[in-house]
mmCIF file of all heavy atoms in Angstrom:
data_model
loop_
_atom_site.group_PDB
_atom_site.id
_atom_site.type_symbol
_atom_site.label_atom_id
_atom_site.label_comp_id
_atom_site.label_asym_id
_atom_site.label_seq_id
_atom_site.Cartn_x
_atom_site.Cartn_y
_atom_site.Cartn_z
ATOM 1 N N ILE A 151 51.893 173.291 260.095
ATOM 2 C CA ILE A 151 52.526 172.062 259.589
ATOM 3 C C ILE A 151 52.288 171.907 258.088
ATOM 4 O O ILE A 151 53.215 171.674 257.312
ATOM 5 C CB ILE A 151 51.994 170.836 260.361
ATOM 6 C CG1 ILE A 151 52.465 170.876 261.818
ATOM 7 C CG2 ILE A 151 52.466 169.542 259.690
ATOM 8 C CD1 ILE A 151 51.892 169.768 262.669
ATOM 9 N N LEU A 152 51.033 172.022 257.656
ATOM 10 C CA LEU A 152 50.689 171.806 256.250
ATOM 11 C C LEU A 152 50.959 173.028 255.373
ATOM 12 O O LEU A 152 51.135 172.891 254.163
ATOM 13 C CB LEU A 152 49.216 171.403 256.140
ATOM 14 C CG LEU A 152 48.841 170.105 256.864
ATOM 15 C CD1 LEU A 152 47.367 169.801 256.692
ATOM 16 C CD2 LEU A 152 49.677 168.933 256.358
ATOM 17 N N ARG A 153 50.941 174.215 255.958
ATOM 18 C CA ARG A 153 51.276 175.464 255.278
ATOM 19 C C ARG A 153 50.475 175.697 253.999
ATOM 20 O O ARG A 153 51.059 175.824 252.901
ATOM 21 C CB ARG A 153 52.767 175.507 254.948
ATOM 22 C CG ARG A 153 53.656 175.474 256.168
ATOM 23 C CD ARG A 153 55.087 175.650 255.767
ATOM 24 N NE ARG A 153 55.989 175.485 256.887
ATOM 25 C CZ ARG A 153 57.309 175.591 256.813
ATOM 26 N NH1 ARG A 153 57.889 175.854 255.662
ATOM 27 N NH2 ARG A 153 58.063 175.433 257.887
ATOM 28 N N PRO A 154 49.159 175.746 254.068
ATOM 29 C CA PRO A 154 48.397 176.126 252.868
ATOM 30 C C PRO A 154 48.638 177.573 252.480
ATOM 31 O O PRO A 154 48.363 177.959 251.348
ATOM 32 C CB PRO A 154 46.944 175.886 253.292
ATOM 33 C CG PRO A 154 46.957 176.023 254.785
ATOM 34 C CD PRO A 154 48.291 175.496 255.229
ATOM 35 N N PHE A 155 49.125 178.372 253.410
ATOM 36 C CA PHE A 155 49.519 179.747 253.105
ATOM 37 C C PHE A 155 50.626 180.161 254.061
ATOM 38 O O PHE A 155 50.817 179.564 255.117
ATOM 39 C CB PHE A 155 48.330 180.714 253.205
ATOM 40 C CG PHE A 155 47.600 180.674 254.520
ATOM 41 C CD1 PHE A 155 48.056 181.394 255.612
ATOM 42 C CD2 PHE A 155 46.452 179.914 254.671
ATOM 43 C CE1 PHE A 155 47.378 181.360 256.827
ATOM 44 C CE2 PHE A 155 45.773 179.870 255.876
ATOM 45 C CZ PHE A 155 46.241 180.596 256.949
ATOM 46 N N ARG A 156 51.349 181.208 253.676
ATOM 47 C CA ARG A 156 52.466 181.716 254.464
ATOM 48 C C ARG A 156 52.317 183.222 254.630
ATOM 49 O O ARG A 156 51.461 183.855 254.010
ATOM 50 C CB ARG A 156 53.800 181.398 253.780
ATOM 51 C CG ARG A 156 54.037 179.897 253.582
ATOM 52 C CD ARG A 156 55.375 179.640 252.917
ATOM 53 N NE ARG A 156 55.613 178.213 252.706
ATOM 54 C CZ ARG A 156 56.722 177.700 252.199
ATOM 55 N NH1 ARG A 156 57.711 178.521 251.845
ATOM 56 N NH2 ARG A 156 56.855 176.399 252.045
ATOM 57 N N VAL A 157 53.176 183.778 255.472
ATOM 58 C CA VAL A 157 53.166 185.224 255.674
ATOM 59 C C VAL A 157 53.484 185.915 254.350
ATOM 60 O O VAL A 157 54.439 185.556 253.661
ATOM 61 C CB VAL A 157 54.200 185.629 256.748
ATOM 62 C CG1 VAL A 157 54.338 187.143 256.817
ATOM 63 C CG2 VAL A 157 53.785 185.084 258.106
ATOM 64 N N GLY A 158 52.665 186.899 253.988
ATOM 65 C CA GLY A 158 52.844 187.622 252.739
ATOM 66 C C GLY A 158 51.944 187.146 251.619
ATOM 67 O O GLY A 158 51.821 187.832 250.598
ATOM 68 N N ASP A 159 51.298 185.976 251.765
ATOM 69 C CA ASP A 159 50.398 185.465 250.735
ATOM 70 C C ASP A 159 49.056 186.185 250.792
ATOM 71 O O ASP A 159 48.581 186.554 251.876
ATOM 72 C CB ASP A 159 50.165 183.964 250.904
ATOM 73 C CG ASP A 159 51.392 183.148 250.544
ATOM 74 O OD1 ASP A 159 52.347 183.735 249.989
ATOM 75 O OD2 ASP A 159 51.399 181.935 250.822
ATOM 76 N N PHE A 160 48.432 186.335 249.638
ATOM 77 C CA PHE A 160 47.069 186.868 249.582
ATOM 78 C C PHE A 160 46.123 185.683 249.415
ATOM 79 O O PHE A 160 46.247 184.908 248.457
ATOM 80 C CB PHE A 160 46.895 187.839 248.417
ATOM 81 C CG PHE A 160 45.539 188.508 248.393
ATOM 82 C CD1 PHE A 160 45.330 189.685 249.093
ATOM 83 C CD2 PHE A 160 44.480 187.951 247.698
ATOM 84 C CE1 PHE A 160 44.093 190.302 249.102
ATOM 85 C CE2 PHE A 160 43.241 188.559 247.690
ATOM 86 C CZ PHE A 160 43.046 189.743 248.398
ATOM 87 N N ILE A 161 45.190 185.519 250.356
ATOM 88 C CA ILE A 161 44.323 184.353 250.361
ATOM 89 C C ILE A 161 42.863 184.767 250.455
ATOM 90 O O ILE A 161 42.533 185.894 250.828
ATOM 91 C CB ILE A 161 44.658 183.398 251.533
ATOM 92 C CG1 ILE A 161 44.278 184.042 252.876
ATOM 93 C CG2 ILE A 161 46.113 182.990 251.500
ATOM 94 C CD1 ILE A 161 44.284 183.060 254.027
ATOM 95 N N ASP A 162 42.011 183.816 250.112
ATOM 96 C CA ASP A 162 40.564 183.951 250.297
ATOM 97 C C ASP A 162 40.121 182.697 251.043
ATOM 98 O O ASP A 162 40.145 181.604 250.479
ATOM 99 C CB ASP A 162 39.866 184.079 248.948
ATOM 100 C CG ASP A 162 38.385 184.403 249.082
ATOM 101 O OD1 ASP A 162 37.891 184.425 250.237
ATOM 102 O OD2 ASP A 162 37.719 184.627 248.056
ATOM 103 N N ALA A 163 39.764 182.851 252.320
ATOM 104 C CA ALA A 163 39.408 181.701 253.152
ATOM 105 C C ALA A 163 38.299 182.100 254.110
ATOM 106 O O ALA A 163 38.522 182.928 254.994
ATOM 107 C CB ALA A 163 40.623 181.198 253.929
ATOM 108 N N GLY A 164 37.131 181.494 253.946
ATOM 109 C CA GLY A 164 36.020 181.786 254.856
ATOM 110 C C GLY A 164 35.679 183.263 254.844
ATOM 111 O O GLY A 164 35.399 183.851 253.780
ATOM 112 N N PRO A 165 35.737 183.913 256.006
ATOM 113 C CA PRO A 165 35.370 185.334 256.073
ATOM 114 C C PRO A 165 36.490 186.282 255.685
ATOM 115 O O PRO A 165 36.312 187.490 255.737
ATOM 116 C CB PRO A 165 35.015 185.510 257.557
ATOM 117 C CG PRO A 165 35.892 184.531 258.267
ATOM 118 C CD PRO A 165 36.016 183.340 257.338
ATOM 119 N N VAL A 166 37.661 185.744 255.298
ATOM 120 C CA VAL A 166 38.839 186.585 255.090
ATOM 121 C C VAL A 166 39.251 186.577 253.627
ATOM 122 O O VAL A 166 39.301 185.529 252.985
ATOM 123 C CB VAL A 166 40.019 186.096 255.959
ATOM 124 C CG1 VAL A 166 41.270 186.897 255.666
ATOM 125 C CG2 VAL A 166 39.671 186.198 257.434
ATOM 126 N N SER A 167 39.513 187.762 253.109
ATOM 127 C CA SER A 167 40.133 187.918 251.794
ATOM 128 C C SER A 167 41.176 189.025 251.945
ATOM 129 O O SER A 167 40.857 190.219 251.813
ATOM 130 C CB SER A 167 39.084 188.280 250.742
ATOM 131 O OG SER A 167 39.682 188.400 249.467
ATOM 132 N N ALA A 168 42.420 188.624 252.255
ATOM 133 C CA ALA A 168 43.421 189.619 252.645
ATOM 134 C C ALA A 168 44.813 189.001 252.583
ATOM 135 O O ALA A 168 44.983 187.812 252.270
ATOM 136 C CB ALA A 168 43.130 190.125 254.056
ATOM 137 N N THR A 169 45.814 189.828 252.908
ATOM 138 C CA THR A 169 47.212 189.398 252.946
ATOM 139 C C THR A 169 47.566 188.925 254.350
ATOM 140 O O THR A 169 47.225 189.573 255.334
ATOM 141 C CB THR A 169 48.135 190.562 252.544
ATOM 142 O OG1 THR A 169 47.797 190.996 251.226
ATOM 143 C CG2 THR A 169 49.597 190.118 252.559
ATOM 144 N N VAL A 170 48.256 187.794 254.442
ATOM 145 C CA VAL A 170 48.605 187.202 255.725
ATOM 146 C C VAL A 170 49.755 187.981 256.362
ATOM 147 O O VAL A 170 50.809 188.170 255.745
ATOM 148 C CB VAL A 170 49.015 185.725 255.558
ATOM 149 C CG1 VAL A 170 49.326 185.095 256.913
ATOM 150 C CG2 VAL A 170 47.923 184.945 254.850
ATOM 151 N N ASP A 171 49.553 188.435 257.603
ATOM 152 C CA ASP A 171 50.593 189.129 258.362
ATOM 153 C C ASP A 171 51.266 188.215 259.386
ATOM 154 O O ASP A 171 52.474 188.279 259.580
ATOM 155 C CB ASP A 171 50.015 190.344 259.092
ATOM 156 C CG ASP A 171 49.594 191.439 258.130
ATOM 157 O OD1 ASP A 171 50.196 191.529 257.044
ATOM 158 O OD2 ASP A 171 48.657 192.188 258.444
ATOM 159 N N GLU A 172 50.466 187.368 260.052
ATOM 160 C CA GLU A 172 51.014 186.495 261.104
ATOM 161 C C GLU A 172 50.066 185.337 261.340
ATOM 162 O O GLU A 172 48.843 185.496 261.301
ATOM 163 C CB GLU A 172 51.211 187.288 262.394
ATOM 164 C CG GLU A 172 51.812 186.474 263.535
ATOM 165 C CD GLU A 172 52.043 187.301 264.788
ATOM 166 O OE1 GLU A 172 52.575 188.419 264.658
ATOM 167 O OE2 GLU A 172 51.683 186.842 265.883
ATOM 168 N N ILE A 173 50.645 184.161 261.594
ATOM 169 C CA ILE A 173 49.871 182.971 261.949
ATOM 170 C C ILE A 173 50.230 182.612 263.380
ATOM 171 O O ILE A 173 51.364 182.226 263.665
ATOM 172 C CB ILE A 173 50.181 181.788 261.012
ATOM 173 C CG1 ILE A 173 49.944 182.189 259.553
ATOM 174 C CG2 ILE A 173 49.326 180.578 261.374
ATOM 175 C CD1 ILE A 173 50.390 181.137 258.561
ATOM 176 N N GLY A 174 49.277 182.758 264.303
ATOM 177 C CA GLY A 174 49.520 182.474 265.707
ATOM 178 C C GLY A 174 48.877 181.166 266.133
ATOM 179 O O GLY A 174 48.261 180.457 265.343
ATOM 180 N N LEU A 175 49.026 180.863 267.431
ATOM 181 C CA LEU A 175 48.433 179.633 267.953
ATOM 182 C C LEU A 175 46.919 179.726 268.036
ATOM 183 O O LEU A 175 46.221 178.726 267.841
ATOM 184 C CB LEU A 175 49.009 179.337 269.346
ATOM 185 C CG LEU A 175 50.389 178.688 269.394
ATOM 186 C CD1 LEU A 175 50.829 178.517 270.838
ATOM 187 C CD2 LEU A 175 50.400 177.351 268.672
ATOM 188 N N PHE A 176 46.393 180.891 268.340
ATOM 189 C CA PHE A 176 44.955 181.061 268.522
ATOM 190 C C PHE A 176 44.299 181.736 267.321
ATOM 191 O O PHE A 176 43.253 181.297 266.852
ATOM 192 C CB PHE A 176 44.668 181.886 269.787
ATOM 193 C CG PHE A 176 45.225 181.271 271.038
ATOM 194 C CD1 PHE A 176 46.445 181.669 271.544
ATOM 195 C CD2 PHE A 176 44.525 180.277 271.702
ATOM 196 C CE1 PHE A 176 46.960 181.099 272.697
ATOM 197 C CE2 PHE A 176 45.036 179.699 272.849
ATOM 198 C CZ PHE A 176 46.261 180.109 273.351
ATOM 199 N N THR A 177 44.890 182.806 266.856
ATOM 200 C CA THR A 177 44.322 183.564 265.740
ATOM 201 C C THR A 177 45.413 183.887 264.728
ATOM 202 O O THR A 177 46.606 183.791 265.024
ATOM 203 C CB THR A 177 43.684 184.884 266.228
ATOM 204 O OG1 THR A 177 44.703 185.694 266.838
ATOM 205 C CG2 THR A 177 42.565 184.620 267.234
#
Side-chain angles (χ1 to χ4, degrees):
I151 292 175
L152 299 180
R153 298 185 186 180
F155 54 83
R156 300 181 181 183
V157 172
D159 289 350
F160 185 88
I161 69 167
D162 187 355
V166 176
S167 181
T169 301
V170 182
D171 291 331
E172 182 178 314
I173 304 173
L175 280 178
F176 301 96
T177 61

